[in-house]
């Protein structure tokens, strides 16, 4: 829908409004079609009603007609009165089972033709008008939109935070958010209390890839793929990395139970510089 | 070949009613030779009893499997009863043992009466019965042992596949023999459905089961990757169509008018929906593979043909429900008819939902979730289960010439069964919808709201508990039915050979009037009808399958994708043995949510050496296609030994036996040779030095583990499995490095 609207509203957009690229767009086109058909039906019904009304006001002499006595509803559903059943019975029985020669219900045929129509339209849209690369197009479009949103957001909240400008957070709120993030993403490898599991102990003074704010920020953001440390820059934005890094560094010297043996080089504990977190 | 107990004897009946003589019968006043014969009820009883017993067993396994999804300890810490291995046992038991036996019960009862002839050969009937039960027993023996091809609903290994083919042929000969010696000119609609079932299942089973044997109980699928997936779901979808639907429609057309004592609503509708159903159904398989590496054009065919299926499949439901028109007062009284009405309604719901799930935007949410599980169970519990129950309750008192033991129990079964379906289906719909949306949700920071897969699993555990309760209620109903019916059988005596008589069919026949229509003509010619059905189902199959095999552009090759090493092949076979594919997919779909969560989406060219494909159909755990290199080896070691240590709250069972069991490397070279025969480019030195290479790689992994403090011998199964997991989805990364 978004695509459809933007292309209609924005004539500068490259895509023609006819190149539907997602199932959702198709759905909206179908909905519009249905609305059109419904409007047409409504018009027809109004005309019919006015016709009946005129007829009732100025009655014509009745014409004789060998009529189907069924109501419109009965005709639509393809049903006959049960009393007429004997006439519909076919001259054949199978182990006592008789068959009636009822027609296929008109609504049923309508449904069948409508679905066939849907199939033809679907294939036309995606494989005759479109180039047939449905998934690839949908994906690229989805990711492009998301990237734009992401950039806009980061600019707004975390634009100034990067490896060189990052600072240690000491406010309670920032550290708490960092703790939530840590519990969510990091405990699988570093343990519930950062005591170290598959990954190293993060509470001692020993660091494999540096223990300064900058170094830890870098390790979390980029990861150390050859050692199994993931790069988190896609899951966490710089603000979040700052929070989780600050939480990790706040754990220095907590000596949790079952702590893993020290790995790497000793780094002096980070001095807790009292600095107000960014707004 | 006729070994009937009562040989037909020709007698002249002086008192033949001269009223309405159906087409094809002797004109009144002529010397109508009435033949006496007997219907074989014993074989119907046997299949009926087997249906009851296997039904209860299959459902019981289902309840155990369902319990493991919130209490993994319900596997009893035992490798033979772990989810991955017994989930296929559950599906196979319900589809092929419960429903399969019910089909044969219904066919053997109705076919004899609709053809006015005893089954062609009592011996073939017996071979069919015992052969089928042996096949089921062999499934019960092999699946828990981990002997599986891993292809859904076709997991049985190659010798059993051959046995299935042979028994199916026995069934076919018996069925066509009966049709040929019939005393009824035209074939009733039920028989068209039986014929279409026979021919299509034969084609599906043979094409899908093409395997390259390694040893007596191990084989590799002849097809690889995308092709294997397409063939598998062409089979899987049409197993639903031609094993769970068409024979049941045939049975519906016989038993429902009999039960309600009403004429079938519309002959014309039955013709239309029969041909439309078998023609369109066969195309719809690719809707199981939407948003996968299957080419777009094949996916689109799956979508549009699934949508077009609504009307043809509803044709059966409408014809059934309208047949009950004028008999609704009976439905109020008669629980058997109630079962039928619920069965037809469930059929209608499932066949409406199926096309809706084939729309790609709906499928994007529902696929890989419990929504699909709910969908298939509405079909299995409602349509197949309830109609089977109705037929059993109707048949057994008739064949044993005694009233049903307890009508109260029958009513109770209906209500507890219905309640069971609701308790099962509704939570699963909620669970599927919830999880599907959670997977896709992003926060305003543009990161996944639920990045840890496990969070979404834990969210739906209460629904899994409700599902197990629903399943238990349904099982309880089936047990009560078993009790009720066995009591009924004990109270009566089986009429093993039911006397019947019918005039012999005159050889000469001149059709007149409405009888000359082309469809009428087909109805008296079983073989043209068979060929007609075959042609109709082959059109869709060939258009779908052949281009995918022939056109190179359908599977663009990727240069950096290499065959698995010997150790990885062994690890992959352990992955297959443990049924990991039942919970983990290996297909990252081209969605932002998936590429963020797992990595680059899966490409068709990455699977060219995957015999069989392992894309999975349900995610109980996360996708594994980009698992390689994500975690250190020790992570995998700990995760297998005790999943909760790495993922707190995980519902994955522990696999401690992988650490203690020694890897069987006696067949490594045979495996590589077999794979080479079906197109994996292993050269001769690789095959002859297979085990040397394997050991070298294994030692590498175990010494790497040792540096992290884990002592494990290099000859253990865990090492091979880790090797395979670390390889998954990494080849494409090499390509990126080359391009850089």
């Amino acid at each position: 829908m978004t695509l459809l609207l933007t292309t209609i509203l924005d004539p500068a957009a490259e895509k023609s409004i006819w190149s539907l690229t997602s199932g959702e767009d198709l759905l909206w086109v179908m909905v519009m079609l249905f609305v059109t058909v419904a409007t047409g039906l409504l018009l027809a019904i109004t005309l019919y009603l006015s016709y009946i009304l005129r007829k009732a006001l100025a009655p014509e002499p009745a014409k004789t007609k060998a009529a189907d006595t069924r109501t419109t509803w009965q005709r639509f559903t393809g049903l006959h009165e049960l009393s007429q059943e004997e006439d519909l019975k076919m001259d054949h029985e199978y182990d006592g089972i008789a068959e009636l020669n009822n027609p296929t219900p008109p609504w049923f045929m309508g449904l069948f033709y409508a679905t066939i129509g849907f199939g033809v339209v679907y294939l036309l849209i995606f494989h005759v008008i479109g180039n047939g690369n449905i998934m690839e197009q949908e994906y690229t479009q989805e990711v492009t939109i998301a990237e734009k949103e992401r950039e806009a957001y980061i600019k707004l909240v975390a634009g100034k935070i990067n490896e060189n400008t990052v600072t240690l957070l000491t406010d309670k709120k920032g550290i708490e958010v960092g703790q939530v993030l840590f519990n969510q993403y990091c405990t699988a490898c570093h343990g519930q209390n950062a005591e170290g599991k598959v990954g190293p102990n993060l509470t001692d003074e020993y660091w494999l890839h540096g223990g300064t704010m900058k170094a830890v920020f870098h390790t979390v953001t980029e990861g150390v793929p050859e050692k199994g440390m993931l790069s988190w820059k896609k899951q966490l934005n710089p603000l979040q990395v700052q929070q989780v890094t600050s939480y990790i560094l706040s754990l220095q010297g907590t000596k949790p139970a079952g702590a893993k043996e020290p790995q790497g080089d000793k780094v002096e504990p980070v001095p807790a510089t009292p600095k107000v977190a960014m707004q | 070949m006729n070994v009937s107990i009562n040989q037909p004897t020709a007698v002249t009946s002086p008192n033949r009613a001269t009223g309405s003589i159906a087409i094809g019968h002797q004109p009144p006043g002529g010397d109508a030779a009435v033949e006496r014969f007997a219907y074989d009820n014993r074989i119907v009883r046997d299949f009926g009893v087997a249906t009851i017993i296997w039904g209860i067993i299959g459902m019981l396994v289902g309840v155990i499997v369902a319990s493991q999804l919130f209490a993994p300890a319900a596997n009893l810490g035992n490798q033979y009863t772990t989810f991955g291995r017994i989930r296929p046992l559950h599906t196979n038991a319900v589809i092929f043992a419960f429903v399969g036996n019910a089909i044969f019960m219904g066919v053997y009862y109705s076919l004899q009466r609709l053809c006015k002839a005893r089954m062609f050969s009592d011996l073939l009937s017996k071979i069919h019965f015992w052969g089928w039960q042996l096949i089921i027993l062999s499934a019960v023996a092999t699946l828990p042992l981990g002997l599986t091809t891993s292809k859904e609903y076709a997991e049985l290994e190659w010798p059993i596949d051959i046995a299935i083919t042979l028994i199916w042929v026995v069934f076919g000969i018996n069925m066509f023999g009966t049709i040929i010696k019939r005393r009824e000119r035209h074939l009733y609609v039920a028989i068209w459905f039986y014929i279409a079932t026979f021919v299509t299942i034969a084609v599906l089973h043979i094409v899908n089961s093409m395997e390259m044997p390694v040893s007596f109980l191990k084989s590799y699928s002849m097809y690889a990757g995308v092709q294997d997936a397409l063939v598998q779901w062409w089979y899987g979808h049409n197993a639903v169509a031609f094993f769970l639907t068409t024979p049941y429609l045939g049975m519906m057309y016989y038993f429902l008018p009999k039960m309600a004592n009403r004429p079938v609503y519309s002959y014309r509708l039955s013709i239309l929906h029969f041909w439309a159903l078998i023609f369109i159904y066969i195309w719809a398989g690719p809707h199981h593979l939407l948003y996968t590496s299957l080419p777009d054009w094949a996916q689109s065919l799956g979508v549009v043909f699934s949508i077009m299926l609504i009307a043809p499949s509803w044709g059966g439901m409408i014809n059934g429900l309208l047949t009950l028109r004028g008999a609704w007062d009976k439905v109020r009284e008669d629980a058997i008819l109630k079962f039928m009405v619920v069965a037809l309604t469930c059929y209608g719901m499932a066949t409406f939902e199926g096309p809706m799930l084939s729309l790609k935007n709906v499928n994007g949410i529902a696929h890989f979730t419990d929504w699909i599980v709910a969908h298939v169970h509405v079909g299995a519990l409602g349509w197949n289960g309830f109609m089977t129950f109705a037929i059993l309750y109707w048949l057994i008192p008739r064949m044993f010439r005694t009233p049903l033991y307890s009508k109260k129990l029958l009513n109770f079964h209906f209500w507890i069964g219905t309640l069971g379906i609701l308790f099962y289906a509704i939570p699963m719909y909620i669970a599927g919808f919830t999880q599907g949306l959670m997977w896709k949700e992003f926060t305003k920071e543009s990161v996944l709201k639920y990045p840890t897969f496990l969070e979404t699993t834990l969210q739906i555990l209460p629904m899994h508990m409700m599902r197990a309760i629903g399943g238990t209620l349904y099982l309880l109903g089936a047990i009560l039915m078993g009790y009720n019916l066995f009591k009924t059988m004990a109270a009566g005596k089986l009429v093993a050979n039911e006397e019947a008589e019918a005039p012999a069919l005159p050889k000469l026949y001149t059709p007149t009037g409405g009888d000359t229509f082309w469809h009428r003509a087909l109805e008296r010619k079983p073989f043209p009808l068979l060929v007609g059905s075959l042609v109709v189902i082959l059109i869709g199959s060939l258009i779908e399958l052949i281009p995918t095999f022939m056109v190179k552009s359908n599977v663009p090759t990727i240069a950096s994708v290499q065959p698995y090493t010997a150790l990885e092949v062994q690890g992959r076979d352990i992955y297959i043995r443990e049924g990991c594919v039942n919970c983990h997919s290996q297909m990252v779909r081209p969605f932002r949510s998936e590429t963020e969560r797992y990595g680059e989406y899966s490409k068709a060219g990455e699977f060219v050496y995957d015999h069989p494909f392992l894309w999975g159909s349900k995610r109980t755990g996360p996708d594994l296609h980009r698992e390689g290199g994500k975690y250190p080896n020790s992570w995998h070691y700990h995760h297998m030994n005790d999943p909760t240590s790495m993922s707190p709250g995980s519902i994955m069972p522990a696999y401690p036996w992988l650490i203690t069991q020694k890897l069987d490397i006696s067949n490594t070279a045979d495996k590589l040779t077999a794979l080479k025969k079906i197109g994996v480019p292993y050269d001769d030195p690789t095959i002859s030095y297979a085990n040397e290479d394997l050991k070298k790689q294994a030692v590498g992994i175990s010494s790497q583990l040792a540096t992290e403090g884990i002592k494990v011998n290099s000859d253990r199964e865990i090492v091979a499995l880790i090797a395979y997991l670390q390889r998954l989805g990494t080849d494409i990364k090499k390509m990126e490095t080359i391009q850089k």
Side-chain angles (χ1 to χ4, degrees):
Chain A
M1 192 60 190
T2 17
L3 174 77
L4 204 65
L5 279 186
T6 47
T7 46
I8 290 170
L9 298 176
D10 174 17
E14 278 177 34
K15 293 242 157 93
S16 117
I17 58 163
W18 300 110
S19 57
L20 299 183
T21 44
S22 75
E24 199 195 342
D25 283 347
L26 177 65
L27 191 72
W28 284 110
V29 169
M30 297 309 286
V31 167
M32 284 171 193
L33 271 179
F34 280 125
V35 170
T36 319
V37 171
T39 320
L41 273 176
L42 205 65
L43 195 71
I45 290 169
T46 322
L47 286 176
Y48 180 62
L49 278 178
S50 74
Y51 169 68
I52 287 183
L53 208 65
R54 213 181 301 164
K55 215 162 120 177
L57 292 175
E60 283 173 41
K63 282 180 190 168
T64 46
K65 201 177 171 190
D68 187 345
T69 55
R70 295 181 300 163
T71 61
T72 318
W73 174 249
Q74 279 173 330
R75 246 173 267 174
F76 176 70
T77 50
L79 296 176
H80 286 95
E81 294 291 338
L82 276 175
S83 53
Q84 296 174 339
E85 199 171 281
E86 274 310 307
D87 306 334
L88 289 166
K89 232 175 216 172
M90 298 179 71
D91 57 349
H92 206 148
E93 280 194 358
Y94 300 92
D95 196 33
I97 301 172
E99 287 178 298
L100 300 177
N101 197 17
N102 269 313
T104 49
W107 68 267
F108 172 84
M109 295 313 291
L111 176 69
F112 194 24
Y113 294 139
T115 55
I116 294 174
F118 174 90
V120 173
V121 171
Y122 188 99
L123 294 180
L124 274 178
I125 288 178
F126 289 114
H127 295 273
V128 180
I129 299 173
N131 66 0
N133 276 340
I134 311 169
M135 285 193 296
E136 212 179 287
Q137 283 180 356
E138 257 181 65
Y139 178 70
T140 325
Q141 191 188 324
E142 191 188 7
V143 170
T144 318
I145 293 172
E147 276 306 316
K148 271 188 197 146
E149 282 173 12
R150 191 177 127 89
E151 275 165 26
Y153 181 81
I154 290 182
K155 221 177 195 175
L156 198 69
V157 301
K160 296 197 181 74
I161 306 175
N162 62 43
E163 211 179 306
N164 296 315
T165 63
V166 69
T167 50
L168 183 74
L169 297 180
T170 48
D171 66 311
K172 209 172 155 208
K173 196 175 161 249
I175 303 252
E176 265 171 14
V177 176
Q179 181 172 15
V180 171
L181 291 169
F182 183 87
N183 289 343
Q184 198 170 17
Y185 299 99
C186 316
T187 48
C189 288
H190 293 284
Q192 214 64 41
N193 301 309
E195 72 273 18
K197 257 176 165 178
V198 169
N201 179 355
L202 300 177
T203 63
D204 58 14
E205 298 170 354
Y206 292 83
W207 296 91
L208 287 164
H209 309 292
T212 62
M213 185 68 196
K214 265 187 197 179
V216 178
F217 185 93
H218 177 85
T219 312
V220 175
T221 310
E222 302 299 328
V224 189
E226 62 278 13
K227 295 223 173 136
M229 171 71 190
L230 301 180
S231 156
W232 291 96
K233 63 182 167 198
K234 282 213 165 170
Q235 281 91 335
L236 301 173
N237 65 46
L239 175 63
Q240 289 173 311
V241 178
Q242 185 189 33
Q243 287 160 337
V244 82
T245 308
S246 302
Y247 169 70
I248 291 169
L249 292 176
S250 77
L251 296 172
Q252 283 295 300
T254 48
K255 299 203 168 58
K260 209 173 168 185
E261 78 288 354
Q263 289 167 283
D265 311 317
K266 188 168 175 170
V267 177
E268 284 305 313
V270 186
T273 38
K275 194 164 184 184
V276 185
M278 62 170 301
Q279 306 293 298
Chain B
M1 202 70 186
N2 196 320
V3 283
S4 306
I5 295 168
N6 285 30
Q7 291 294 331
T9 43
V11 288
T12 311
S13 169
N15 300 327
R16 217 172 157 245
T18 50
S20 63
I21 295 298
I23 293 164
H25 285 188
Q26 283 286 329
D31 40 337
V34 170
E35 291 178 340
R36 289 228 181 101
F37 54 95
Y39 296 132
D40 182 3
N41 279 347
R42 190 184 302 273
I43 188 71
V44 181
R45 190 266 324 258
D46 291 349
F47 276 120
V49 170
T51 305
I52 299 171
I53 294 172
W54 287 121
I56 291 172
I57 294 175
M59 293 166 204
L60 179 71
V61 178
V63 171
I64 296 172
V65 166
S67 313
Q68 292 192 19
L69 283 181
F70 56 87
N75 72 353
L76 311 168
N78 183 333
Q79 57 180 310
Y80 306 109
T81 45
T82 298
F83 185 90
R85 293 198 193 184
I86 62 168
R87 188 259 184 190
L89 187 64
H90 163 62
T91 52
N92 276 280
V94 170
I95 298 173
F96 300 110
F98 172 60
V99 172
N101 276 309
I103 291 170
F104 301 136
M105 165 185 76
V107 169
Y108 275 45
Y109 186 88
S110 59
L111 186 68
Q112 297 189 69
R113 281 149 184 89
L114 290 170
C115 289
K116 291 216 169 65
R118 191 185 177 86
M119 285 310 294
F120 174 59
S121 153
D122 284 10
L123 179 68
L124 285 185
S125 299
K126 282 207 180 78
I127 294 174
H128 178 195
F129 176 78
W130 288 109
W132 195 254
Q133 309 314 315
L134 282 176
I135 287 167
I136 296 167
L137 281 175
S138 64
V140 173
T142 54
L143 292 175
L145 286 175
L147 301 165
T148 169
T149 64
S150 97
K151 297 189 37 163
E152 260 181 288
Y153 322 128
E155 284 97 347
L156 300 173
E157 268 298 352
W158 68 274
I160 310 176
D161 281 339
I162 292 174
I164 294 172
T165 313
L166 294 177
I167 293 299
W168 197 253
V169 169
V170 166
F171 168 53
I173 294 173
N174 213 7
M175 180 164 89
F176 273 91
T178 313
I179 292 175
I180 287 164
K181 65 171 204 174
R182 70 191 185 281
R183 297 182 180 82
E184 181 76 61
R185 175 73 60 193
H186 290 97
L187 302 177
Y188 178 56
V189 45
I191 302 176
W192 319 341
F193 277 106
Y194 300 159
I195 290 176
T197 303
F198 168 74
V199 62
T200 315
I201 291 294
V203 172
L204 291 170
H205 174 71
I206 292 171
V207 174
N208 187 48
S209 302
M210 298 300 256
E211 290 139 339
M212 177 56 67
V214 176
S215 62
F216 180 58
L217 288 169
K218 173 73 198 166
S219 66
Y220 291 113
S221 173
M222 203 75 93
Y223 320 104
V226 176
Q227 278 111 350
D228 196 41
L230 184 60
V231 172
Q232 158 62 28
W233 284 114
W234 166 79
Y235 162 89
H237 179 70
N238 289 301
V240 175
F242 291 89
F243 206 81
L244 301 176
T245 305
T246 53
Y248 268 67
L249 283 172
M251 278 147 70
M252 188 273 289
Y253 271 113
Y254 178 80
F255 289 101
L256 186 71
K258 289 296 253 186
M259 288 169 183
N261 197 20
R262 292 278 306 153
V264 170
Y265 171 70
S266 170
Y267 167 65
R268 277 190 253 174
L269 180 57
S270 60
I271 297 169
L272 177 81
H273 96 93
F274 170 74
W275 290 102
L277 189 81
I278 65 168
F279 175 67
I280 294 178
Y281 229 126
I282 205 89
W283 296 71
H287 71 211
H288 290 257
L289 297 167
L290 297 182
Y291 288 117
T292 65
S293 309
L294 189 73
D296 279 297
W297 65 267
Q299 295 188 25
S300 293
L301 282 183
V303 173
V304 300
F305 277 89
S306 304
I307 296 291
M308 286 191 248
L309 251 180
I310 301 178
S313 30
W314 271 8
M317 173 184 68
I318 296 164
N319 228 354
L321 290 177
L322 289 177
T323 297
L324 287 172
R325 200 167 161 245
W328 287 100
D329 52 321
K330 282 186 205 160
V331 176
R332 211 177 308 135
E333 311 279 307
D334 187 353
I336 295 181
L337 280 178
K338 280 190 198 136
F339 271 115
M340 290 301 278
V341 171
V342 172
L344 282 167
T345 315
C346 284
Y347 173 68
M349 292 199 305
T351 51
F352 176 71
E353 192 186 11
M356 291 305 114
L357 285 170
S358 309
L359 290 172
K360 286 178 88 176
N361 44 359
V362 180
N363 188 279
I365 299 172
H367 192 48
F368 289 135
T369 74
D370 284 322
W371 189 338
I372 307 302
V373 182
H375 169 65
V376 297
H377 278 84
V378 167
L381 300 171
W383 165 240
N384 296 115
F386 268 33
M387 192 185 294
T388 306
F389 299 151
I391 294 173
L392 279 166
Y393 280 122
W394 188 84
L395 269 186
I396 287 183
R398 262 173 188 71
M399 293 194 303
F400 284 78
R401 292 271 191 274
T402 177
L404 187 70
Y405 171 70
S406 165
K407 277 218 154 133
K408 269 192 184 158
L409 272 182
L410 164 67
N411 273 308
F412 185 68
H413 179 196
F414 172 76
W415 288 111
I416 200 173
T418 309
L419 205 63
I421 295 177
L422 294 176
F423 257 82
Y424 188 101
I426 295 171
M428 285 296 92
Y429 281 117
I430 298 173
F433 200 67
T434 309
Q435 202 176 20
L437 291 180
M438 281 175 93
W439 288 345
K440 284 179 169 291
E441 194 165 349
F442 280 86
T443 64
K444 62 179 182 345
E445 289 94 345
S446 252
V447 295
L448 286 168
K449 182 144 188 211
Y450 306 98
T452 328
F453 186 94
L454 187 56
E455 282 176 274
T456 70
T457 311
L458 297 177
Q459 191 72 31
I460 58 170
L461 287 193
M463 305 300 159
H464 283 174
M465 291 173 199
M466 301 258 283
R467 177 253 288 267
I469 294 172
T472 311
L473 293 179
Y474 193 88
L475 168 68
L476 185 67
I479 293 172
L480 291 178
M481 175 191 74
Y483 174 74
N484 201 353
L485 290 178
F486 285 120
K487 276 286 191 187
T488 309
M489 287 186 232
K493 191 174 178 302
L494 175 72
V495 184
N497 297 292
E498 191 179 320
E499 297 286 334
E501 58 173 48
L505 205 59
K507 287 233 159 21
L508 284 172
Y509 174 69
T510 323
T512 50
D515 213 17
T516 48
F517 281 25
W518 62 272
H519 51 82
R520 261 300 199 214
L522 266 186
E523 283 163 34
R524 58 179 178 269
K525 293 174 184 158
F527 282 100
L529 186 66
L530 170 91
V531 174
S533 314
L534 184 65
V535 169
V536 162
I537 62 137
L538 283 182
I539 294 171
S541 307
L542 297 180
I543 290 183
E544 247 171 42
L545 299 178
I546 289 184
T548 321
F549 283 78
M550 308 305 268
V551 182
K552 244 313 243 252
S553 68
N554 277 318
V555 184
T557 46
I558 299 173
S560 61
V561 172
Q562 292 297 315
Y564 296 106
T565 66
L567 185 66
E568 287 157 6
V569 165
Q570 292 286 11
R572 195 167 198 271
D573 284 342
I574 290 171
Y575 186 93
I576 289 172
R577 183 189 78 189
E578 297 298 340
C580 305
V581 72
N582 288 306
C583 289
H584 294 282
S585 56
Q586 289 186 15
M587 172 51 61
V588 181
R589 296 178 289 178
F591 294 143
R592 175 187 168 215
S593 55
E594 303 226 334
T595 49
E596 285 284 297
R597 191 188 302 277
Y598 303 117
E600 183 59 32
Y601 68 84
S602 309
K603 312 286 190 298
E606 293 182 78
F607 302 102
V608 290
Y609 304 128
D610 280 11
H611 296 269
F613 82 115
L614 291 173
W615 296 357
S617 62
K618 163 83 202 327
R619 281 180 189 154
T620 304
D623 186 273
L624 298 183
H625 191 221
R626 299 284 172 227
E627 192 69 3
K630 250 191 194 173
Y631 300 106
N633 291 341
S634 54
W635 189 93
H636 289 289
Y637 176 89
H638 290 303
H639 189 249
M640 288 293 169
N641 192 31
D642 176 13
T644 53
S645 69
M646 291 288 108
S647 322
S650 169
I651 54 165
M652 175 170 145
Y655 288 88
W657 52 87
L658 295 178
I659 292 162
T660 49
Q661 276 168 195
K662 214 171 144 180
L663 181 68
D664 175 16
I665 55 166
S666 62
N667 52 9
T668 316
D670 295 343
K671 284 182 172 176
L672 297 192
T673 313
L675 285 169
K676 188 184 174 183
K677 279 186 202 152
I678 47 179
V680 185
Y682 290 116
D683 51 19
D684 291 334
T686 311
I687 294 175
S688 20
Y689 293 101
N691 274 336
E692 278 75 2
D693 292 342
L694 179 149
K695 282 176 191 157
K696 209 186 282 171
Q697 194 185 356
V699 167
I701 290 174
S702 78
S703 55
Q704 197 275 330
L705 280 170
T707 62
E708 300 188 45
I710 296 163
K711 283 203 181 94
V712 60
N713 275 342
S714 64
D715 62 353
R716 302 294 140 168
E717 291 181 336
I718 185 88
V719 175
L721 186 60
I722 290 177
Y724 173 61
L725 291 174
Q726 295 291 27
R727 172 71 186 273
L728 275 178
T730 51
D731 285 8
I732 201 168
K733 290 178 190 161
K734 284 182 224 150
M735 183 179 71
E736 285 162 11
T737 359
I738 293 165
Q739 280 175 350
K740 274 175 196 169

